[in-house]
Amino acid sequence: MTARVGVVTFPGSLDDGDAARAVRIAGAEPVRLWHGDPDLHGVDAVVLPGGFSYGDYLRCGAIARFAPVMETVVEAARGGLPVLGICNGFQILCEAHLLPGALTRNQHLHFRNRDQVLRIEATGTAWTNAFQPGQEVLVPVKNGEGCYVADPATLDRLEGEGRVVARYLGGNPNGSQRDIAAITNEAGNVVGIMPHPEHAVEALTGPSLDGLGFFTSVLKHLVGAPA
C-alpha cells in the first residue's frame, strides 16, 4: 500500500505545492490538509511547509501554532507520527513546543536566498535514515528569520543526545547557534529544518537531488514501523 503523506496549507503558505511534489516524486501519495480542518484523513506522516503562515504576524509560526489542524498534529506527533517542518514549518514546530528553541531574525538582518551545503549529523530519525553520517548535501536556503537560538543547556542537551540533525557548512547563512540547520525531538519522529529539501528533488529546478533523501527516508521508516 502506498504511504500517504499530508502536506498542510496555512494562509500564506508558499511551498506546500513543492512539498507535495517532493512527496510524490519520492513515491508516496501527497494528501493536502487544510489549516482549519483538524482531520488528518488517516495520513501516515505530515509535512509543515515553508512560507509565511498568517503573514508572519506576531512571530513566525505563532498564529499557525493555534490552527485547528495543529491540535491534531501535536497530539499525533507525541504519539509517534512522523512530522517534518520546513522553514516556516520549523518555526511552527518550535512555537508548538514539539521542538525546543526558537527561530529569530537573521543576525545580519537580511533575507538570505542561496544554495547551501549541509552536513547530515543524525541519521536515526524518521526523515534522515536514507543518509550516511557526515554526508554533505546541497539544498536551497531562503529565510529572513532562520537564526536558531536556544539557551546553552538546551544546546548542550541537543548535542549530547545526538539531536542536531544537520549543520551549515561553507558559511552560516543566518547566524544560527552552533551552525544548526535542523534538529529532532527525543523520539526522532519530528524534525525541523530551516533549508528547503523540497527544492532539491528534480534536476530541472534544483541545485541537486539531495533533498529527496528526506522524503524517501520517511517511506523507509514507515515500512519498518510496527503496524
Side-chain angles (χ1 to χ4, degrees):
M1 182 179 294
T2 302
R4 303 173 72 247
V5 179
V7 179
V8 179
T9 297
F10 299 95
S13 288
L14 177 66
D15 299 310
D16 45 340
D18 300 84
R21 184 169 61 251
V23 166
R24 185 175 63 252
I25 291 171
E29 176 189 350
V31 178
R32 304 305 288 265
L33 302 176
W34 185 240
H35 70 106
D37 182 2
D39 190 351
L40 298 185
H41 300 282
V43 297
D44 303 300
V46 167
V47 177
L48 304 179
F52 307 91
S53 60
Y54 298 93
D56 283 349
Y57 287 109
L58 299 183
R59 288 185 311 275
C60 300
I63 298 177
R65 173 257 182 277
F66 292 103
V69 73
M70 283 305 299
E71 295 181 15
T72 315
V73 168
V74 169
E75 182 180 0
R78 288 174 176 159
L81 183 77
V83 178
L84 176 66
I86 304 170
C87 195
N88 186 223
F90 188 3
Q91 296 162 340
I92 294 169
L93 290 176
C94 289
E95 290 286 343
H97 305 296
L98 285 174
L99 294 174
L103 286 308
T104 62
R105 185 72 179 163
N106 293 352
Q107 283 192 345
H108 45 66
L109 304 182
H110 295 285
F111 189 92
R112 185 64 77 234
N113 182 9
R114 72 186 193 197
D115 296 334
Q116 177 69 48
V117 178
L118 308 177
R119 183 176 64 238
I120 304 297
E121 301 273 335
T123 58
T125 81
W127 299 92
T128 57
N129 60 68
F131 299 104
Q132 296 297 317
Q135 183 174 341
E136 297 182 10
V137 300
L138 179 66
V139 298
V141 63
K142 51 175 189 174
N143 61 73
E145 290 84 15
C147 179
Y148 181 76
V149 298
D151 62 89
T154 297
L155 292 170
D156 289 343
R157 185 168 67 253
L158 289 172
E159 299 267 18
E161 296 176 356
R163 292 168 53 194
V164 175
V165 171
R167 296 185 202 271
Y168 298 111
L169 290 183
N172 185 326
N174 45 43
S176 289
Q177 293 178 326
R178 305 192 190 183
D179 296 328
I180 290 174
I183 62 172
T184 187
N185 65 341
E186 292 181 5
N189 62 305
V190 177
V191 168
I193 182 169
M194 183 48 56
H196 288 263
E198 80 281 15
H199 293 327
V201 297
E202 295 178 292
L204 178 64
T205 57
S208 73
L209 302 181
D210 294 343
L212 192 59
F214 289 89
F215 300 94
T216 58
S217 286
V218 77
L219 303 189
K220 180 180 175 183
H221 170 79
L222 291 171
V223 168

